């Protein structure tokens, strides 16, 4: 399974011949200035919540690629109001079987609003289960006991967790989250984009290693096999 990191909490994963793009925030991100957004392909765009640092390029990319937007009811409605008709609404606790695999929409503890301050529904995360691999993208979240429910239904190959602190959980809580979801391979996201979420890379990797886990920190634009 190939994963490409586009900075902040934006990444794409190739699953069963389909390209899934998560939380597209590229053009406003100075650290991602070398990414050619017009070269990005997507069959699906999954959006965890409404904040601009997760939705900024969603409408443009959905219209360009024809990708189906998967998110909560409020975000899907926002997309429709902005001219995107290829959508699929979800809500917490439910799952849906797509042509690439199963998507379950799970709890995240955060806030969620659009750039104009209007309500964007409750934030969430996603578990993607496919014939290739199964992974959990937490979205923006605090550490929550609900994470313990995930391994009751899924055996994860890797997890994608925010580690920047201040706006989400930090490294220490992400290590506990990895325990809760019973997954020792973690891709860190939502760090370094702004001053308040800068991290010490070496120390973060060390903390995970001392806990018997692997923390992967990718360069923007880098692609890795997971």
């Amino acid at each position: 399974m190939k994963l490409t990191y586009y900075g902040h909490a934006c990444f794409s994963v190739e699953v069963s011949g389909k390209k899934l793009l998560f939380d597209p925030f590229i053009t406003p991100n100075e650290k991602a200035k070398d990414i050619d957004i017009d070269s990005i392909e997507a069959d699906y765009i999954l959006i965890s919540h409404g904040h601009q640092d997760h939705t900024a390029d969603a409408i443009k990319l959905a219209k360009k690629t024809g990708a189906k937007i998967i998110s909560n009811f409020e975000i899907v409605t926002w997309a429709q109001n902005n001219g995107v008709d290829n959508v699929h609404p979800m809500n917490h606790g439910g799952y849906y079987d797509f042509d690439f695999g199963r998507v379950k929409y799970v709890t995240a503890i955060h806030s969620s609003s659009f750039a104009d301050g209007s309500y964007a529904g409750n934030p969430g995360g996603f578990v993607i289960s496919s014939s290739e691999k199964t992974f959990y993208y937490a979205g923006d979240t605090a550490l929550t006991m609900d994470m313990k429910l995930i391994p009751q239904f899924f055996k994860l190959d890797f997890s994608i967790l925010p580690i920047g602190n201040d706006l989400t959980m930090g490294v220490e809580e992400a290590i506990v989250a990895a325990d809760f979801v019973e997954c020792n391979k973690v891709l860190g996201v939502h760090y370094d984009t702004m001053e308040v979420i800068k991290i010490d890379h070496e120390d973060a990797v060390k903390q995970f290693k001392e806990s018997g886990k692997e923390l992967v920190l990718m360069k923007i634009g880098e692609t890795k096999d997971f």
Side-chain angles (χ1 to χ4, degrees), residues 115-197:
D116 63 2
S118 60
Y119 178 59
N122 291 318
F126 298 97
V127 179
I128 311 296
S129 177
S130 76
S131 60
E132 295 180 21
K133 289 187 177 180
T134 297
F135 67 92
Y136 166 49
Y137 169 47
D140 281 12
T141 189
L143 179 66
T144 168
M145 295 296 285
D146 284 356
M147 293 172 179
K148 288 192 170 186
L149 294 172
I150 292 173
Q152 293 190 35
F153 299 91
F154 301 96
K155 180 174 176 53
L156 301 176
D157 294 288
F158 63 96
S159 294
I160 301 161
L161 305 178
I163 58 172
N165 211 354
D166 192 72
L167 302 173
T168 66
M169 61 185 176
V171 171
E172 295 84 358
E173 292 86 356
I175 290 170
V176 177
D179 282 332
F180 282 4
V181 300
E182 299 179 10
C183 180
N184 288 333
K185 184 171 185 177
V186 174
L187 171 65
V189 296
H190 209 281
Y191 64 93
D192 283 359
T193 315
M194 57 198 80
E195 186 66 32
V196 295
I197 58 172

Side-chain angles (χ1 to χ4, degrees), residues 1-3 12-22 42-44 97-103 128-135 157-158 226:
M1 185 177 286
K2 291 187 179 299
L3 186 151
S12 67
V13 181
E14 294 184 28
V15 182
S16 301
K18 301 296 181 180
K19 295 181 178 179
L20 282 56
L21 179 67
F22 292 78
D43 298 296
Y44 296 88
D97 291 325
F98 294 90
D99 55 0
F100 59 84
R102 177 167 292 182
V103 176
I128 311 296
S129 177
S130 76
S131 60
E132 295 180 21
K133 289 187 177 180
T134 297
F135 67 92
D157 294 288
F158 63 96
F226 275 78

Side-chain angles (χ1 to χ4, degrees), residues 36-218:
D36 177 13
I37 191 171
D38 291 325
S39 70
I40 294 176
E41 299 176 348
D43 298 296
Y44 296 88
I45 297 173
L46 292 86
I47 301 175
S48 64
H49 65 292
H51 289 161
Q52 190 175 20
D53 61 332
H54 296 257
T55 62
D57 295 310
I59 301 301
K60 176 181 178 178
L61 284 169
K63 290 179 177 178
K64 173 187 171 293
T65 63
K68 183 187 292 291
I69 289 182
I70 302 172
S71 193
N72 66 31
F73 176 80
E74 289 80 6
I75 291 174
V76 159
T77 301
W78 164 79
Q80 290 174 311
N81 290 340
N82 281 277
V84 177
D85 294 322
N86 191 13
V87 298
H88 183 96
M90 298 195 74
N91 218 322
H92 297 85
Y95 69 79
Y96 189 84
D97 291 325
F98 294 90
D99 55 0
F100 59 84
R102 177 167 292 182
V103 176
K104 187 171 180 66
Y105 191 60
V106 297
T107 302
I109 304 298
H110 197 60
S111 56
S112 182
S113 58
F114 295 113
D116 63 2
S118 60
Y119 178 59
N122 291 318
F126 298 97
V127 179
I128 311 296
S129 177
S130 76
S131 60
E132 295 180 21
K133 289 187 177 180
T134 297
F135 67 92
Y136 166 49
Y137 169 47
D140 281 12
T141 189
L143 179 66
T144 168
M145 295 296 285
D146 284 356
M147 293 172 179
K148 288 192 170 186
L149 294 172
I150 292 173
Q152 293 190 35
F153 299 91
F154 301 96
K155 180 174 176 53
L156 301 176
D157 294 288
F158 63 96
S159 294
I160 301 161
L161 305 178
I163 58 172
N165 211 354
D166 192 72
L167 302 173
T168 66
M169 61 185 176
V171 171
E172 295 84 358
E173 292 86 356
I175 290 170
V176 177
D179 282 332
F180 282 4
V181 300
E182 299 179 10
C183 180
N184 288 333
K185 184 171 185 177
V186 174
L187 171 65
V189 296
H190 209 281
Y191 64 93
D192 283 359
T193 315
M194 57 198 80
E195 186 66 32
V196 295
I197 58 172
K198 283 188 176 179
I199 67 166
D200 182 326
H201 292 209
E202 185 176 339
D203 181 64
V205 170
K206 179 182 177 183
Q207 287 189 58
F208 267 80
K209 186 175 181 179
E210 288 175 347
S211 299
K213 300 171 179 59
E214 178 188 5
L215 176 64
V216 179
L217 301 178
M218 294 178 64

